[in-house]
Amino acid sequence: MISAVYVILDKENPNSLIEDIKGLFPRLKLFSEIFLLSNDLVSDFEKVFLITKQLSIFLKEYDFCRVNLNIVHPFFKEIKQYYLKLNTIIEPFNIEGYIHQGTPRLILLPIIIVDKETPELANILYFLEESFMMPGIYTKSSTFRDRVERVFIEPDSAGEILDTFAYYHIFNDMLDKVDFLDDRIIGDCGSNLIIGRDGKVYPCFRAYQLGLFKKCNCPDCKYNVLKCLKDHPLSKEADTGSLHVRMAFAHLESNNFSYALRHLREALYLCKEDERPNLYFYIGLCQANLNRYHDAIEMFKKSPKDYNTAFYLGFCYLNNGDCETAIKHFKDALKLDPRGEDRGRILFYLGLCYKNLGNYVRAIEVLNRARAFNDGVEINNLLGICHFKSRDYENALGFFKNVISLDPSSAIDYANICICLKALGRREDAIKYCEKSLSLDPTIDFAKEALKELKSGN
């Protein structure tokens, strides 16, 4: 269902425009908005009048629908006579609303494009208010904010009038969703159709800007809107930095680290100085997950000094190949009293560092402590490797068998069992596990070489 339709009126619009718009009415939500954008209401008035007329016919038939009809156009002195004509269509809905003591189902909302206050403008605004056609103002300055309830202030980056309405719609959509704890704030910003000057229908604001006929990526739009409105009156009324942070955390929950990073960087320069250390941590977290370990280390050095920061410093140094420094940070993390699975995770990576340095005895000792928190595939595989490197083939065999009991599809661990059995002189059993490994993954070169040796009697 369509929540809003934006129609850019122009002399180039095709003759079928009215019928095309009429065809969209049954797809409107129960409460929806239509915007008619005109650079010259006098020239476009016939289209505006016919669209309003068709909309009134539709609403008389479907009496459960409500529509706000926004007509956007520049100010001119003769406005009054055109709205008097439109009022003949709107009046029955005003009477219906009065009789039922409810909001009229068709409301006319003029949005006048102005650049300065004049006596003529004041008179027109008063006339529209008295006629129950509550006016709004579209302007490049904020001087009209106390004059009417709805004021649309054009952002510096707006290329045309529609862009301003896009910014307002997307920004307000984020504000509406900011208090929800789920990820809806990074989801779809609503079903908005744009009918361009060419009469073609575009499925969202960004699609219209790019000349595409498929809906664009909403997270990109939302990021660009927040960035473009950084110094706009809209962003001054709301905490734009908090919106960036809320968007970032929603993206983090969805493992969209690139999007989260962009929002966190914007938030960093909008927040108070004492809030920055926490943001540095999450920026580092994003960079670490994007394999930008050097950049992540710089961020974690500015983060709060807790075991999470110490762990991720170790994680980054480990992935940069500096296991000695990683060990130092993992030990620091353990001193900061991590609890439960977090302690197990730190011990696992500490054991991995010792394994990478060839200190298998120390690695085995640490990894056995980690098993108290997590006895899964990775830790059993790593213990198997450490025991194998220590030439303790029986214990290595036991750990690799633990892995395949947890994950029967682990081809590499069938191959590891084969190598252990080969070292123990159990040739027939080794062949069986090697063939099983290659049936799961024929590309394991050391398994192919081992099978060749085993079958040749070597």
Side-chain angles (χ1 to χ4, degrees), residues 34 64 81 102 110 121 135 157 187 243 340 346:
I34 295 177
F64 47 83
Q81 61 179 296
L121 174 62
S157 56
L243 274 176
I346 296 165

Side-chain angles (χ1 to χ4, degrees), residues 149-185:
E149 185 175 334
R150 294 202 305 167
V151 178
F152 299 88
I153 301 174
E154 183 176 281
D156 293 337
S157 56
E160 59 178 294
I161 292 172
L162 178 66
D163 292 345
T164 300
F165 291 103
Y167 287 132
Y168 271 74
H169 174 90
I170 294 169
F171 187 85
N172 288 323
D173 177 75
M174 286 186 278
L175 284 180
D176 289 342
K177 297 172 180 175
V178 71
D179 292 328
F180 292 100
L181 299 179
D182 55 25
D183 64 354
R184 72 185 72 184
I185 194 171

Side-chain angles (χ1 to χ4, degrees), residues 62-87:
Y62 297 93
D63 58 7
F64 47 83
C65 293
R66 286 180 54 202
V67 176
N68 284 345
L69 180 60
N70 302 268
I71 303 177
V72 187
H73 61 84
F75 172 77
F76 62 101
K77 293 180 181 178
E78 297 80 18
I79 286 177
K80 185 174 180 179
Q81 61 179 296
Y82 292 92
Y83 279 101
L84 284 172
K85 291 179 183 178
L86 291 173
N87 197 47

Side-chain angles (χ1 to χ4, degrees), residues 390-457:
S390 302
R391 300 182 183 277
D392 183 354
Y393 302 120
E394 286 289 356
N395 270 319
L397 183 64
F399 284 111
F400 290 135
K401 285 188 174 181
N402 287 346
V403 175
I404 63 171
S405 69
L406 295 168
D407 180 11
S409 65
S410 180
I412 194 74
D413 285 288
Y414 283 101
N416 288 334
I417 290 172
C418 160
I419 300 302
C420 290
L421 291 168
K422 182 172 180 286
L424 291 168
R426 295 164 58 180
R427 179 170 167 272
E428 293 301 322
D429 289 338
I431 289 173
K432 179 180 71 171
Y433 278 97
C434 205
E435 288 176 340
K436 176 65 175 178
S437 169
L438 291 170
S439 71
L440 293 169
D441 184 357
T443 67
I444 302 176
D445 289 335
F446 79 87
K448 288 190 285 187
E449 186 64 29
L451 185 61
K452 180 179 178 182
E453 291 177 2
L454 285 164
K455 287 192 172 180
S456 67

Side-chain angles (χ1 to χ4, degrees), residues 182-234:
D182 55 25
D183 64 354
R184 72 185 72 184
I185 194 171
I186 60 174
D188 197 310
C189 61
S191 178
N192 306 288
L193 296 185
I194 293 87
I195 300 180
R197 293 177 182 82
D198 53 9
K200 294 179 180 177
V201 179
Y202 300 86
C204 69
F205 298 113
R206 188 67 173 162
Y208 169 75
Q209 292 170 342
L210 299 175
L212 303 175
F213 298 102
K214 63 177 181 179
K215 197 167 176 61
C216 293
N217 193 332
C218 285
D220 285 334
C221 289
K222 293 183 177 185
Y223 170 76
N224 288 331
V225 165
L226 286 179
K227 189 172 182 182
C228 289
L229 292 179
K230 184 160 54 178
D231 298 317
H232 189 274
L234 261 185

Side-chain angles (χ1 to χ4, degrees), residues 5-11 13-19 21-22 25 34-57 67-74 76 79-90 106-112 128 133:
V5 179
Y6 295 79
V7 184
I8 302 174
L9 298 174
D10 190 88
K11 61 183 178 181
N13 286 131
N15 294 329
S16 61
L17 176 67
I18 308 302
E19 288 300 313
I21 296 171
K22 178 182 173 183
F25 292 161
I34 295 177
F35 289 78
L36 305 180
L37 282 63
S38 170
N39 284 321
D40 182 356
L41 183 61
V42 176
S43 298
D44 292 327
F45 185 73
E46 182 181 359
K47 294 171 187 172
V48 171
F49 187 86
L50 289 174
I51 292 169
T52 308
K53 184 67 175 175
Q54 290 298 327
L55 186 55
S56 71
I57 293 170
V67 176
N68 284 345
L69 180 60
N70 302 268
I71 303 177
V72 187
H73 61 84
F76 62 101
I79 286 177
K80 185 174 180 179
Q81 61 179 296
Y82 292 92
Y83 279 101
L84 284 172
K85 291 179 183 178
L86 291 173
N87 197 47
T88 61
I89 302 174
I90 302 297
L106 178 57
I107 299 177
L108 191 58
L109 299 171
I111 301 174
I112 314 298
L128 292 171
M133 294 179 281

